[in-house]
Protein backbone atom coordinates (compact mmCIF):
# COMPACT_ATOMS: atom_id res chain seq x y z
CA UNK A 1 0.00 0.00 0.00
CA UNK A 2 1.25 3.46 -0.83
CA UNK A 3 -0.07 6.75 0.47
CA UNK A 4 0.34 10.26 -0.81
CA UNK A 5 2.29 12.62 1.50
CA UNK A 6 0.02 13.60 4.40
CA UNK A 7 -2.39 10.74 3.67
CA UNK A 8 -3.62 8.29 6.26
CA UNK A 9 -5.04 4.79 6.26
CA UNK A 10 -6.27 2.42 8.97
CA UNK A 11 -4.23 -0.79 9.00
CA UNK A 12 -4.26 -4.02 10.97
CA UNK A 13 -0.91 -5.35 12.11
CA UNK A 14 -0.43 -9.06 12.78
CA UNK A 15 2.66 -10.04 14.77
CA UNK A 16 3.98 -13.54 15.35
CA UNK A 17 3.43 -13.91 19.12
CA UNK A 18 6.89 -15.47 19.51
CA UNK A 19 8.29 -11.99 18.75
CA UNK A 20 7.03 -10.96 22.20
CA UNK A 21 7.83 -14.26 23.92
CA UNK A 22 10.71 -15.74 25.84
CA UNK A 23 11.60 -19.41 25.72
CA UNK A 24 11.07 -21.33 28.97
CA UNK A 25 13.60 -24.16 28.85
CA UNK A 26 12.14 -26.06 31.82
CA UNK A 27 8.57 -25.98 30.49
CA UNK A 28 9.69 -26.25 26.83
CA UNK A 29 7.28 -23.54 25.73
CA UNK A 30 7.13 -19.91 24.67
CA UNK A 31 5.78 -17.49 27.29
CA UNK A 32 4.41 -14.03 26.72
CA UNK A 33 4.25 -11.95 29.88
CA UNK A 34 0.98 -10.21 30.69
CA UNK A 35 1.22 -6.45 30.51
CA UNK A 36 1.42 -3.32 28.43
CA UNK A 37 3.43 -3.28 25.21
CA UNK A 38 4.21 -0.17 23.18
CA UNK A 39 3.88 -0.33 19.40
CA UNK A 40 5.76 2.45 17.63
CA UNK A 41 5.51 3.39 13.95
CA UNK A 42 7.92 5.58 12.07
CA UNK A 43 10.31 5.83 9.18
CA UNK A 44 13.12 4.48 11.41
CA UNK A 45 13.94 4.04 15.12
CA UNK A 46 14.87 7.69 15.61
CA UNK A 47 11.81 9.06 13.82
CA UNK A 48 8.80 7.59 15.62
CA UNK A 49 5.58 9.14 14.32
CA UNK A 50 2.95 7.29 16.37
CA UNK A 51 2.94 5.24 19.57
CA UNK A 52 0.12 3.02 20.80
CA UNK A 53 -0.02 0.88 23.93
CA UNK A 54 -1.67 -2.53 23.78
CA UNK A 55 -2.46 -4.68 26.82
CA UNK A 56 -1.95 -8.41 26.45
CA UNK A 57 -2.91 -11.31 28.71
CA UNK A 58 -0.34 -13.94 29.66
CA UNK A 59 -0.01 -16.53 26.91
CA UNK A 60 1.84 -19.80 26.53
CA UNK A 61 2.71 -21.43 23.22
CA UNK A 62 3.91 -25.03 22.83
CA UNK A 63 7.39 -25.67 21.41
CA UNK A 64 6.09 -26.59 17.95
CA UNK A 65 3.66 -23.68 17.67
CA UNK A 66 3.36 -22.18 14.20
CA UNK A 67 1.26 -19.20 13.02
CA UNK A 68 -2.23 -20.38 12.11
CA UNK A 69 -2.06 -23.43 14.37
Amino acid sequence: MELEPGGDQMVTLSVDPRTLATWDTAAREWRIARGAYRVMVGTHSRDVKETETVHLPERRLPAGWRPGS
Side-chain angles (χ1 to χ4, degrees):
M1 166 187 340
E2 244 180 80
L3 294 175
E4 295 296 321
D8 63 9
Q9 174 71 42
M10 176 76 76
V11 297
T12 300
L13 178 66
S14 298
V15 176
D16 182 333
R18 292 170 298 180
T19 304
L20 304 172
T22 56
W23 177 250
D24 183 328
T25 304
R28 298 193 45 76
E29 65 185 6
W30 295 99
R31 290 191 177 186
I32 300 171
R34 176 180 65 102
Y37 291 82
R38 286 189 327 189
V39 178
M40 294 175 272
V41 178
T43 57
H44 54 77
S45 63
R46 294 186 199 162
D47 186 29
V48 175
K49 301 292 187 187
E50 297 287 334
T51 300
E52 184 69 35
T53 300
V54 295
H55 298 273
L56 301 178
E58 178 182 21
R59 186 168 174 195
R60 296 175 181 203
L61 306 169
W65 185 91
R66 296 281 181 257
S69 62

